[in-house]
């Protein structure tokens, strides 16, 4: 990327709407409620011929450092330090507020080039707010409507003026187009099918990992501990995370893309529109991910909501890994771990052998073991078994425990083949698929899992009937 731009301003001026406009997709949650954005989000953006990275930030508020708004402000200050140019957004419709002037002084002291963006300029009465913006002393305000895409050519010219043509129009790195094409998509119509067949296990592609769980289980703290920096906003308050934020990370030479998600409560408790948007965003992250780390509070594990989240992940075909967090608060760890693993096998039989690792995001304990479990599970999720091995296995299974007779006629199972990976999916050819008991299908799944070492991932079996080659001939004779 040729440069990095940070979008800042007080709450509810349209920063996330401008961010979505620049990246070309609805990645950031947008709502009329002030303070929707809390974490900073970085993404590839284009503004006509300008290719750059843009950072969405929380609303800048003057608050004590120990409070949630104060911690949000610290994240915004980090974004200012990282940026090459600052988009300072004001609300032309509402006019200048005292906080606008306070934060303009902070931006000015940073010494970074500034583009003053007067958003909502399409509104009636916005001309007065546009004129007021001159008072900030940050140069000529650029009137735009981020929601409707008005004023983008002027914004492009202002960026070139702030940074210079050599910096903004110089030749991009050769991989810029590739980076833009491969950038993550969480919300939008053009999401690539995550079930698409992979030709072979590829360790060169970033491994997509979503981190999910109930509110206050420690998801953001866990990601910060993994990457070794305070990248995501954390604190004692439940429900801090709202957007699904992606973080790129390198672990032992392997590229990872971590997705932090909002805490998921029971559906009956989710009333506010904003929380519904946050949960929907988290569900999209699950569908886009390959591995989903389910963070459980080890002091109160396996609440009903935890099991519902796990069931959702399994139904979506993702590969789950359990992290028993807050392990530093457990007094008798050996006994508790044995009890938790017994509960895991009993409560989640559909992913028998699931990897479950005790960790402490606060102390950093168990993080390497967690990532080892993630990589192992990912390999199993991508595993493929040859048709020859499968049918030799099937012969032994049928000899030991043949299918039952239904309505006086024994079911015939003819052959099996693997149709897909991610998760492993198999097709079994049999005489009467509709009559096959689910108990026998489960028997096949459990034996497949054990025989071919596929613990902890969903396994799909589809029953098919083979066509009778003489059926058409018989119909013609009649």
């Amino acid at each position: 990327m040729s440069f990095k731009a940070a979008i800042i301003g007080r709450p509810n001026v349209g920063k996330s709407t401008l961010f979505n406009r620049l990246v070309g997709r609805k990645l950031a949650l947008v709502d009329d409620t002030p303070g929707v954005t809390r974490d900073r989000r970085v993404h590839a953006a284009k503004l006509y011929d300008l290719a750059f990275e843009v950072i969405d930030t929380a609303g800048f508020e003057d608050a004590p450092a120990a409070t949630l708004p104060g911690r949000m402000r610290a994240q915004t200050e980090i974004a200012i330090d990282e940026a090459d140019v600052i988009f300072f957004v004001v609300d032309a419709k509402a006019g200048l507020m005292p906080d606008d002037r306070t934060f303009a002084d902070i931006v000015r002291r940073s010494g970074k080039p500034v583009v003053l963006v007067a958003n909502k300029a399409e509104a009636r009465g916005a001309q007065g707010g546009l004129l007021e913006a001159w008072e900030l002393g940050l140069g000529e305000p650029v009137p735009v409507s981020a929601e409707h895409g008005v004023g983008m050519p002027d914004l492009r010219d202002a960026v070139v003026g702030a940074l210079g043509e050599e910096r903004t129009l110089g030749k991009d790195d050769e991989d810029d187009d590739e980076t833009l094409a491969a950038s993550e998509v969480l919300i939008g119509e053009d999401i690539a099918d995550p079930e698409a067949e992979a030709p072979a296990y590829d360790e060169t592609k970033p491994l997509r990992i979503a981190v999910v769980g109930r509110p206050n289980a420690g998801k953001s703290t866990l990601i910060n501990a993994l990457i070794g920096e305070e990248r995501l906003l954390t604190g004692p308050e439940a429900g801090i995370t709202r957007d699904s934020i992606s973080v790129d990370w390198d672990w032992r030479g392997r590229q990872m893309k971590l997705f932090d998600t909002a805490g998921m409560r029971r559906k009956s408790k989710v009333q506010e529109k904003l929380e519904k948007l946050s949960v929907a965003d988290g569900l999209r992250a699950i569908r886009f991910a390959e591995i989903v780390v389910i963070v459980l509070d080890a002091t109160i594990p396996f609440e009903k909501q935890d099991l519902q989240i796990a069931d959702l992940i399994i139904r979506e075909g993702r590969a789950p890994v359990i992290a028993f967090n807050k392990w530093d608060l457990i007094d008798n760890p050996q006994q508790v771990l044995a009890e938790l693993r017994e509960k895991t096998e009993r409560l989640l039989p559909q992913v028998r052998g699931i990897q479950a690792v005790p960790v402490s995001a606060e102390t950093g304990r168990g993080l390497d073991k967690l990532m080892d479990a993630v990589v192992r599970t990912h390999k199993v999720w991508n595993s493929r078994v040859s048709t020859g091995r499968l049918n030799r296995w099937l012969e032994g299974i049928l000899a030991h425990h043949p299918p039952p007779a239904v309505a006086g006629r024994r079911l015939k199972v003819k052959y099996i083949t693997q149709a897909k990976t991610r998760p492993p999916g198999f097709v079994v050819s049999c005489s009467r698929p509709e009559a096959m008991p689910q108990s026998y299908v489960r028997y096949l799944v459990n034996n497949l899992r054990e025989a071919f070492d596929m613990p902890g991932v969903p396994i799909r079996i589809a029953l098919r009937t083979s066509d009778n080659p003489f059926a058409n001939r018989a119909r013609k004779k009649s």
Side-chain angles (χ1 to χ4, degrees), residues 282-360:
L283 295 177
R284 275 184 283 266
I286 290 173
R287 294 182 183 114
F288 188 70
E290 298 168 284
I291 300 291
V292 182
V293 176
I294 308 168
V295 182
L296 304 184
D297 184 336
T299 61
I300 45 169
F302 292 118
E303 298 274 301
K304 183 179 179 182
Q305 181 65 2
D306 294 325
L307 296 174
Q308 289 178 339
I309 292 170
D311 185 59
L312 169 69
I313 293 161
I314 295 162
R315 283 189 282 111
E316 287 291 337
R318 305 302 96 191
V321 172
I322 291 177
F324 291 119
N325 192 26
K326 306 185 183 180
W327 203 247
D328 52 307
L329 303 179
I330 302 298
D331 293 329
N332 45 347
Q334 293 297 329
Q335 178 186 340
V336 172
L337 183 58
E339 292 172 355
L340 289 177
R341 285 189 168 150
E342 184 276 326
K343 276 188 176 180
T344 302
E345 292 294 306
R346 178 164 47 84
L347 297 172
L348 297 173
Q350 63 272 54
V351 281
R352 184 174 295 172
I354 184 174
Q355 298 284 317
V357 183
V359 301
S360 170

Side-chain angles (χ1 to χ4, degrees), residues 255-272:
Q255 292 299 310
M256 307 279 177
K257 188 178 286 291
L258 301 171
F259 294 93
D260 189 23
T261 62
M264 297 181 183
R265 299 195 296 164
R266 287 202 304 273
K267 192 173 182 180
S268 60
K269 289 192 173 184
V270 178
Q271 303 293 338
E272 295 182 7

